[in-house]
Amino acid sequence: MNNLLDQCIDFDLLDTETMAIDASKLESYERAKPRSKIDKENNSTPDWGTKFDSHKNQITWFGWKIHAAVETNSELPIALTLTPANHADKTQAISLVEKVNDFLAERDLTKPKYWTMDSGYDYTDIYEYILFEQESQTIIPINKRNAKQPPAGFYDFKGTPVCSGGHKMYYWGHYKGVNKFRCPHVCGKVDCIHGTKWCSNSNYGRVTKTRPKENPRYISTPHRDSRTWRKIYNERTSVERTFSRLKEHLNLENLTVMGAKKVKTHLLLSSISLIAAD
């Protein structure tokens, strides 16, 4: 698989600026067992997994879970892991990031600038690892987890600061890892009863700047849910299309082997076929 990826690099097929991470279910060839008879400490045997689909319907299966890091331009898998189905998606995120960066470092290629994932990966340790250890930026929607209001100092869950008049400040772009926000009254977004003199003597209005290192989960560059942020996040669907090709066209879903090693081999062979066909 790595040899084929090296050929893709030689043909300039990979653009590693943005990587997408996700997980997908894989039903086992083995007969399902009751939960009470499954060895939870043994990662070489399948287990029961559950998740919600895009329509909020709960899906339960006995088998495995595939975790993949995919380059969003070519939609080719760079790193893969296999776990029993009961493992949460987030448990493999940092491992996949490490594998991808090790692969790129060995070939003197630049690290990805953005890592995009769905809200199932919305955990502080993932944000902090990617920002502080890998010097990259995560693009992940906030999972509110029953939170009724955003943290103090923010107007909303998107990391937008609030002005002294209690209004949502207006995003004015980002530069060198810093987000800039301006007075919403000056920008014509609200009609503040205090006017502009309430918080600033300048006609430009009050300016607030935010940096991801202040709160990696809520603050990102570009600003969370801005047009650029949404454009990058939309590239996450590339990993879903990769799973679809592997399962529907390259026989990944039709397992006829048992045990983690053989299933992992089946996964790699399907991935090799996908890369070779590209």
Side-chain angles (χ1 to χ4, degrees):
M1 179 173 167
N2 285 344
N3 289 339
L4 284 173
L5 288 173
D6 286 337
Q7 294 181 42
C8 292
I9 293 171
D10 293 337
F11 287 112
D12 200 25
L13 296 179
L14 298 182
D15 176 10
T16 57
E17 179 179 75
T18 304
M19 299 291 300
I21 289 179
D22 203 359
S24 182
K25 71 181 185 72
L26 187 63
E27 294 186 2
S28 173
Y29 183 63
E30 301 167 60
R31 181 176 296 177
K33 300 178 181 178
R35 295 181 189 271
S36 59
K37 295 185 178 181
I38 297 174
D39 182 4
K40 299 296 182 180
E41 302 299 324
N42 188 358
N43 289 333
S44 63
T45 58
D47 205 330
W48 288 97
T50 183
K51 64 183 295 185
F52 291 92
D53 63 14
S54 57
H55 302 291
K56 305 300 181 183
N57 297 315
Q58 189 172 15
I59 300 173
T60 302
W61 77 99
F62 181 76
W64 310 94
K65 189 177 284 187
I66 313 161
H67 308 264
V70 171
E71 190 271 301
T72 59
N73 185 43
S74 64
E75 300 185 352
L76 295 178
I78 308 298
L80 298 162
T81 60
L82 181 78
T83 65
N86 63 322
H87 285 223
D89 295 359
K90 71 180 184 71
T91 61
Q92 300 300 307
I94 291 178
S95 173
L96 288 170
V97 172
E98 290 176 342
K99 288 183 178 181
V100 170
N101 284 332
D102 289 344
F103 173 85
L104 297 176
E106 291 173 359
R107 291 152 180 81
D108 294 324
L109 298 176
T110 57
K111 294 180 180 180
K113 188 176 181 181
Y114 302 108
W115 293 88
T116 178
M117 314 170 208
D118 63 29
S119 59
Y121 295 87
D122 177 33
Y123 288 86
T124 302
D125 57 340
I126 295 177
Y127 290 99
E128 291 180 344
Y129 174 79
I130 291 177
L131 178 63
F132 297 123
E133 299 295 330
Q134 302 297 338
E135 298 180 344
S136 300
Q137 181 65 66
T138 47
I139 305 295
I140 305 174
I142 289 291
N143 186 340
K144 297 179 182 178
R145 296 193 187 91
N146 299 322
K148 296 182 179 179
Q149 60 184 16
F154 292 142
Y155 182 87
D156 53 24
F157 285 97
K158 300 170 185 176
T160 308
V162 58
C163 74
S164 55
H167 299 291
K168 173 182 178 180
M169 298 195 72
Y170 186 66
Y171 178 55
W172 201 254
H174 70 281
Y175 181 69
K176 291 186 176 180
V178 179
N179 291 323
K180 180 180 178 180
F181 297 86
R182 290 183 60 192
C183 171
H185 180 82
V186 171
C187 295
K189 299 301 177 180
V190 299
D191 185 14
C192 181
I193 60 174
H194 303 292
T196 60
K197 301 303 180 182
W198 169 263
C199 54
S200 175
N201 292 324
S202 171
N203 292 331
Y204 192 76
R206 181 187 176 188
V207 173
T208 297
K209 296 181 179 180
T210 62
R211 298 166 178 82
K213 65 181 181 180
E214 298 169 0
N215 190 325
R217 184 180 177 211
Y218 287 94
I219 302 174
S220 66
T221 52
H223 176 52
R224 182 178 291 282
D225 207 36
S226 64
R227 183 182 301 175
T228 305
W229 189 95
R230 291 194 299 270
K231 181 180 178 181
I232 298 170
Y233 178 68
N234 287 340
E235 295 184 31
R236 190 197 62 82
T237 56
S238 60
V239 66
E240 296 178 353
R241 289 190 290 273
T242 297
F243 284 137
S244 178
R245 293 188 186 102
L246 288 171
K247 289 182 176 182
E248 296 178 16
H249 304 298
L250 295 168
N251 210 38
L252 176 59
E253 205 162 32
N254 298 321
L255 286 180
T256 57
V257 293
M258 298 184 290
K261 289 185 178 180
K262 292 182 179 180
V263 174
K264 180 68 178 292
T265 301
H266 186 88
L267 169 62
L268 289 173
L269 288 172
S270 295
S271 300
I272 287 169
S273 300
L274 176 65
I275 299 169
D278 201 67

